[in-house]
Amino acid sequence: IALQEMQRLPEAVQLIEKASMMYLENGTPDTAAIALERAGKLIENVSPEKAVQLYQQAASVFENEERLRQALEMLGKASRLLVRGRRLDEAALSLQKEKSIYKEIENYPTCYKKTIAQVLVHLHRNDYVAAERCVRESYSIPGFNGSEDCAALEQLLEGYDQQDQDQVSEVCNLPLFKYMDNDYAKLGLTLVVPGGGIKKKSPNAAQDKARGPAAVGSHADEEEDEYSGGLC
């Protein structure tokens, strides 16, 4: 029965998509967006790729209607699914879209959180330049400079650049990172510095020792995604 249902799901989703197009044509975009979201939920476990597409369509409809809170909810679902599926270049773009809407509605603290997620995505893409650019651009967001988010990200980038796995793991184990959405928290806990964490000797080494042992996260082996160019 479960298999039958799974085979019928794409069919059901197709019908809902058709219905949503009709709602749009008939001037009821809200109903169309809700139908697309429902279809996304239905297919999420069977075909995350299709679900991402449906959530993005729903977000687009909500955005056109200036229902930004609902649009953000849909974009958030899409971003998390993209991260889960290791489609990190697309996830970076999706997070940037979320962040720009949060900035538009002046929800600045959430912009800081999106910056953390973006930086983690870029570092997993082995793109330090894009990660650094994200932080630099976020200085234009009111209150970011001087926030704990900003301080933690500066520390994270420094540790990554210095190939200091202890420092990176210490930052990624902060409550700020650990209590993010699960998909982003996992990115933090599996972040491995380039070169396998062989520390470059720095003048701060003695200070680091004085601070005591850092909390080390689980360093899962990750696929090396070789993308080039910033997507921030």
Side-chain angles (χ1 to χ4, degrees):
I1 292 171
L3 187 64
Q4 274 180 328
E5 279 176 8
M6 276 171 76
Q7 283 169 341
R8 298 300 296 273
L9 265 180
E11 223 176 292
V13 165
Q14 228 175 348
L15 289 172
I16 298 173
E17 270 189 288
K18 268 187 195 165
S20 77
M21 291 309 116
M22 287 163 75
Y23 291 134
L24 274 177
E25 283 161 21
N26 292 326
T28 51
D30 278 6
T31 315
I34 291 162
L36 289 164
E37 178 189 5
R38 194 168 296 150
K41 271 184 190 159
L42 270 179
I43 201 88
E44 200 174 284
N45 294 325
V46 180
S47 173
E49 297 82 9
K50 182 67 183 168
V52 165
Q53 189 195 324
L54 291 160
Y55 289 142
Q56 287 172 336
Q57 281 176 275
S60 199
V61 176
F62 279 133
E63 201 183 346
N64 286 340
E65 291 305 295
E66 296 190 355
R67 292 186 59 180
L68 298 183
R69 197 179 59 78
Q70 286 90 342
L72 284 165
E73 204 184 313
M74 296 300 99
L75 286 169
K77 287 181 183 225
S79 298
R80 290 191 295 275
L81 278 178
L82 288 166
V83 166
R84 211 173 301 163
R86 303 291 296 177
R87 290 161 65 188
L88 298 179
D89 48 346
E90 291 170 79
L93 290 169
S94 184
L95 280 161
Q96 183 63 22
K97 173 85 174 150
E98 282 187 70
K99 188 164 139 186
S100 64
I101 298 178
Y102 278 115
K103 194 174 177 182
E104 196 184 316
I105 62 174
E106 300 182 1
N107 181 340
Y108 301 128
T110 305
C111 290
Y112 314 161
K113 302 289 172 264
K114 295 298 164 190
T115 304
I116 293 178
Q118 280 181 303
V119 166
L120 289 171
V121 164
H122 284 312
L123 292 180
H124 270 270
R125 292 175 59 251
N126 304 317
D127 195 340
Y128 177 82
V129 174
E132 197 181 28
R133 192 185 304 128
C134 271
V135 175
R136 209 168 48 240
E137 285 174 355
S138 295
Y139 278 111
S140 67
I141 299 167
F144 179 71
N145 190 5
S147 67
E148 60 170 340
D149 308 69
C150 176
L153 284 171
E154 295 284 7
Q155 229 187 330
L156 176 66
L157 288 175
E158 181 195 52
Y160 191 88
D161 191 39
Q162 295 292 321
Q163 300 187 355
D164 183 341
Q165 185 68 55
D166 287 351
Q167 185 169 325
V168 165
S169 298
E170 197 173 349
V171 175
C172 289
N173 271 286
L174 291 170
L176 196 61
F177 283 67
K178 278 174 86 171
Y179 300 122
M180 294 179 80
D181 283 318
N182 206 20
D183 294 296
Y184 304 125
K186 273 184 188 165
L187 285 183
L189 293 172
T190 58
L191 186 59
V192 179
V193 300
I198 300 152
K199 267 195 198 180
K200 289 180 186 170
K201 289 289 171 205
S202 71
N204 299 333
Q207 284 175 304
D208 290 349
K209 272 185 185 164
R211 274 211 319 257
V216 179
S218 60
H219 310 143
D221 292 330
E222 54 168 318
E223 294 167 38
E224 299 265 320
D225 294 323
E226 301 222 346
Y227 292 111
S228 60
L231 281 165
C232 197

